[in-house]
Amino acid sequence: MTAKKIYFGTNLKMYKGNAEVVQYLSELSDFATTFKSEYDIQLFVIPSYTTLKDAVELVKSKTGRPKIKIGAQNMNPNDNGQFTGEISPLMLKELGIELVMIGHSERRHVMKETDQEENEKVLASLKHNFITLLCIGETLEQKNYNISDEVLRTQLKIGLQGVTAEQLSKLWIAYEPVWAIGTEGIPASAEYADEKHAVIKQCLFELFAEESKKIPVLYGGSVNPENANGLIVKPHIDGLFVGRSAWNAPNFHALITDALNTLSGDKTEVPLTNEFTETAVQLIEQLGGKANISALTHCATRIRVVLKNDGKMNKSAIEKIDGVKGLFSITNQYQIILGAEIVKQVHDEMKKLLI
């Protein structure tokens, strides 16, 4: 039986210059030899344009090591033309690039790219035989309107218009909820992410029938060491597209190793999570981590926290967590309003995690 493929990758955005990327990839490539798993591990890194040539050469030079696929962060759909500042598929092929990312949320929402533009790029990328990573995801406003499923299905149906069944072996999908990305992003709960992955896979099945099972669906959106294990064991999640938690090679190696150990272990030993566990995990992270919490109590409607360093707390991120109704401080104590119906359950889960 062929081993199931599990994907781990990262997009370096506009961080790390050429020397930093070469050093990072060298370390990551060496670490990759230590992965012990019954799974087929696929690593990929998507650095900036100016680093691509040396990144490809570094990966090629690491013979005898698991292959890291190098990707481009964007691509013009035209082979050539009067498009100043753009990069064509032919230019990327010349560099030896294997993967192209299309439709990252920053391209959609900062650069104002449309679903139709993403479709043009997807078709061009597949035509040139690149692995094509199409990113999709809903905004917080769309989530609050309860139209997340419709948004994801629309992005898929337009973005993949004209793709043939023969091209599906080169197609990957990344689900990255917009509200979960960036320095103030709130990770989706493992249950929510898996639910949306199921929606994505159902839509892909409607488009491509049985052939759709060739398409891996990866989760990205503030993946970190505290939530990676809960995400990777979900049945509809085929891999993790990690952000800043992957930008240090030893940290990325540790995250992957831990996730693989969780996957490979006895599933009965994987801690079961519920909505209160996920809320507790998110609160601890945005309060600055376990080491930053010196005291934790609760009353009828709120959790009371004393922190060692207020500067490590992300107030705006806490206020965006599902179930949080408000945050305020009294003297040296922060009070997180949750409501009588869930405050004890969330407090109890936080206490377990802090042990």
Side-chain angles (χ1 to χ4, degrees):
M1 181 182 293
T2 303
K4 180 182 177 181
K5 202 156 197 172
I6 304 292
Y7 301 78
F8 294 95
T10 187
N11 163 29
L12 300 181
K13 302 193 179 186
M14 202 173 71
Y15 296 97
K16 293 190 184 295
N18 204 58
E20 290 176 293
V21 166
V22 169
Q23 178 64 30
Y24 170 79
L25 287 171
S26 181
E27 292 180 14
L28 188 61
S29 184
D30 291 342
F31 281 134
T33 63
T34 68
F35 295 137
K36 302 290 191 297
S37 174
E38 68 267 33
Y39 298 97
D40 179 10
I41 311 304
Q42 178 60 70
L43 300 178
F44 64 97
V45 174
I46 309 178
S48 60
Y49 283 129
T50 59
T51 70
L52 290 179
K53 182 175 185 294
D54 285 351
V56 169
E57 291 179 356
L58 183 282
V59 169
K60 285 182 178 178
S61 73
K62 292 286 186 175
T63 56
R65 287 165 170 74
K67 182 69 178 298
I68 301 174
K69 292 190 183 297
I70 301 298
Q73 296 178 6
N74 186 36
M75 183 191 74
N76 189 285
N78 297 281
D79 286 356
N80 49 56
Q82 300 179 59
F83 304 102
T84 301
E86 292 288 289
I87 304 293
S88 82
L90 298 182
M91 295 171 183
L92 295 178
K93 288 186 79 171
E94 186 178 27
L95 293 176
I97 296 303
E98 295 185 75
L99 181 153
V100 176
M101 178 170 63
I102 306 293
H104 187 276
S105 69
E106 290 156 8
R107 300 301 308 179
R108 294 177 183 268
H109 299 287
V110 179
M111 308 304 180
K112 307 302 181 185
E113 292 181 3
T114 65
D115 289 328
Q116 289 79 5
E117 287 176 299
E118 311 307 4
N119 178 238
E120 290 179 22
K121 294 179 181 183
V122 165
L123 295 177
S125 178
L126 290 171
K127 181 183 78 173
H128 285 284
N129 207 36
F130 292 114
I131 293 170
T132 302
L133 176 61
L134 176 64
C135 301
I136 62 173
E138 80 278 18
T139 64
L140 182 61
E141 182 180 33
Q142 291 164 336
K143 177 177 181 285
N144 290 340
Y145 279 127
N146 294 315
I147 59 171
S148 297
D149 293 359
E150 293 93 326
V151 170
L152 298 178
R153 293 173 66 85
T154 297
Q155 291 175 348
L156 285 170
K157 289 185 174 183
I158 297 176
L160 300 179
Q161 182 69 35
V163 173
T164 68
E166 292 73 28
Q167 295 174 312
L168 299 184
S169 62
K170 291 284 188 177
L171 179 65
W172 300 356
I173 303 296
Y175 170 54
E176 296 190 295
V178 180
W179 45 272
I181 297 172
T183 55
E184 295 188 358
I186 299 298
S189 71
E191 287 73 23
Y192 183 92
D194 193 53
E195 175 190 315
K196 297 312 168 196
H197 277 237
V199 170
I200 292 166
K201 292 197 171 190
Q202 177 59 36
C203 184
L204 292 172
F205 184 82
E206 292 166 11
L207 293 173
F208 303 111
E210 287 294 320
E211 292 296 306
S212 69
K213 295 178 181 178
K214 297 178 180 177
I215 307 169
V217 183
L218 286 54
Y219 175 75
S222 295
V223 177
N224 59 62
E226 292 183 332
N227 64 13
N229 294 353
L231 289 162
I232 200 64
V233 296
K234 291 299 179 182
H236 299 104
I237 295 178
D238 300 313
L240 301 177
F241 195 13
V242 187
R244 62 189 62 247
S245 292
W247 295 350
N248 172 279
N251 291 349
F252 195 19
H253 169 253
L255 183 150
I256 295 171
T257 299
D258 200 24
L260 290 175
N261 289 340
T262 300
L263 257 185
S264 300
D266 182 356
K267 298 301 186 292
T268 61
E269 295 179 1
V270 177
L272 296 177
T273 60
N274 55 47
E275 57 184 312
F276 306 119
T277 305
E278 294 297 332
T279 300
V281 168
Q282 293 177 34
L283 282 170
I284 289 171
E285 179 184 0
Q286 302 306 332
L287 286 166
K290 298 179 184 179
N292 197 41
I293 298 173
S294 59
L296 181 73
T297 59
H298 79 284
C299 60
T301 61
R302 64 199 65 178
I303 289 174
R304 296 176 292 211
V305 187
V306 177
L307 302 178
K308 295 176 183 177
N309 183 349
D310 293 356
K312 292 184 177 180
M313 177 176 65
N314 189 333
K315 294 181 181 179
S316 62
I318 290 172
E319 291 173 340
K320 293 177 185 176
I321 295 173
D322 285 346
V324 173
K325 300 177 180 180
L327 170 70
F328 65 94
S329 61
I330 299 177
T331 60
N332 69 331
Q333 184 184 100
Y334 286 91
Q335 305 214 10
I336 305 165
I337 303 173
L338 294 165
E341 64 279 7
I342 68 169
V343 65
K344 183 179 186 305
Q345 293 95 321
V346 174
H347 171 268
D348 290 348
E349 291 301 306
M350 290 180 73
K351 290 291 282 188
K352 290 178 189 176
L353 293 167
L354 290 172
I355 294 174

